[in-house]
Amino acid sequence: MKQIKRFALLSIIGVIAFLGLPFSSMPAQAEEKKSEIAQLLTPTKQTPKLSPGETFRGYFDIHNRGTKAFSFRVYATGHQVSERDYNSIRYDIENNYTMIQHWVTFEHDEYRVEPDQHQRVHYTIKVPTDVPAGGQYATLMSEIVEESEGGTIKNKNRVGMTLIAQIEGTTRGDGHGKITENNLNALFLTPPISASAVVKNNGNIHAEAKSTLTIFSLFSKEPIWTNEDRPLTNLVFPETSRFINIDWKGSPRLGLFRVVHNVKFMGETSQVEKIVFICPFWFLFVILLVITSFIANFIVRKKHRRNN
Amino acid sequence: MKKSLLLGAGVVAALGVVALPLSSYAVDTQNVTLNVTVGTGIQLAVDAGTKAVSMNSGEFNETLQTTATVSTNNANGYKITVIDQDNNNALTSAGNTIPAADGPLSAGTAGWGIKGGDIVDYKAVPAQGATALTLVNKGGTANGDTTAFTYGIATANTQASGIYADTVTFTATVNP
């Protein structure tokens, strides 16, 4: 009896010790290792509405998030996207939509900022009096001035704030866009269930494309998932097309759903609704195999009856 | 009887007096609304400003790397692009060059390029004035996203000796 009690007590102590080990040996959360040189730019974009002849004053901040002080120089470039997936950007570009890069001046060309400090960069946009109404696009750059010499390849660190401006006046906005594609497949072999669209901006001002995806189970009017309260919003620059993709990240691997994809752009709306089947490839293969065997069995039986 | 009634009334009155300030506290409340505006930001760190390697003629080397780390709270994500600092995108030493080239790169034929992120095979770093090469185009926010980029450098069999150098600019911007 005594031995049993001793054994029970030791076991309890052992369990407590075992459970306590992970907590006692868990290291204190390691401090995130900071880079030597890291710059944070805020905000990432500004959207001023300007009038011809106006002088606009704005600013952005450069925060030193590294461990060493650095100098940085500021300047303006154009901003032009190419390709409909908006993958490529041209900064060094001159056209009717990037003239604003020449209207921007900075309080200073170069600044210095210590670790954990920030520097406010003031800029002025002097809009000429004889400019057309519509969009103007630029990137205001902060480029770190490297102090190292020599070597094969030297890297420069640069961050940019996108300036998306509108010059007041008669613009070609709503009514000058087109939803050229609205795609929703009926079969998915892998998640997520997704839909896509292509929109074209034929106007002279940027516009937002809003897309929503709503998933219903087959016989219910209540949505299982929707982003209607937060539509996917993509900016489309003038005289460009943009490919937009939206997906249901919580898609299961197998199921039959009613899916609705809605796109709104420059006064146009396009909606596609489909019954969508999602299943892994092997499941589809099994279904086809079952169907094939039923058909084969039916044919064989019919032949057999005819012969008899 | 009278005494006990009086005592009871006294207790009730005393309780009432005590309760008065409590009841008056109950109606004296104020709502305070807190408004916090969080703006968008993008942060870029690019490791060690200069990369150096020693090579012989007729060799191929891909040991040089640059790591870029991005953080942003922009819901549409970010891009990292690379472009040459000037309109000459070759590695140059005096009058000799190793030209920027798309892959494949091979020992014996001079050329250099970059890969990593969304770029699988070596691509020439564009010169100023051309469209910047997009190395990473990612949707959604990022918290210390680190991407390593590799430089491939091939020298010609008759590559002249010297220190060949060039400067490239990595730019991080948010997706609109």
Side-chain angles (χ1 to χ4, degrees), chain B residues 10-85:
Chain B
V11 167
V12 167
L15 283 170
V17 167
V18 167
L20 256 172
L22 294 171
S23 58
S24 64
Y25 282 144
V27 298
D28 189 12
T29 55
Q30 286 279 329
N31 289 333
V32 176
T33 303
L34 293 177
N35 275 325
V36 178
T37 304
V38 178
T40 55
I42 182 151
Q43 178 176 312
L44 174 67
V46 177
D47 67 334
T50 303
K51 304 289 171 179
V53 70
S54 294
M55 292 173 70
N56 297 311
S57 57
E59 282 185 350
F60 172 66
N61 180 290
E62 53 181 358
T63 59
L64 290 187
Q65 279 200 334
T66 284
T67 303
T69 305
V70 172
S71 297
T72 181
N73 59 350
N74 182 54
N76 284 347
Y78 68 94
K79 273 190 202 52
I80 300 177
T81 62
V82 70
I83 197 163
D84 204 272
Q85 184 195 225

Side-chain angles (χ1 to χ4, degrees), chain A residues 47-117:
Chain A
T47 55
K49 284 201 166 111
L50 307 169
S51 301
E54 182 184 343
T55 298
F56 172 88
R57 287 186 175 80
Y59 65 85
F60 58 87
D61 293 329
I62 294 295
H63 307 250
N64 185 337
R65 287 286 177 92
T67 57
K68 281 185 170 179
F70 60 79
S71 299
F72 63 95
R73 64 185 192 99
V74 292
Y75 53 91
T77 69
H79 186 104
Q80 171 86 57
V81 295
S82 53
E83 297 170 22
R84 61 177 213 175
D85 60 2
Y86 272 36
N87 197 43
S88 301
I89 304 178
R90 276 199 69 180
Y91 297 116
D92 185 7
I93 184 160
E94 303 278 354
N95 63 31
N96 288 339
Y97 295 110
T98 61
M99 297 186 290
I100 191 171
Q101 64 183 298
H102 300 296
W103 309 340
V104 176
T105 55
F106 295 90
E107 193 178 18
H108 301 287
D109 291 334
E110 197 168 307
Y111 298 85
R112 188 160 180 84
V113 61
E114 297 294 321
D116 296 324
Q117 304 292 313

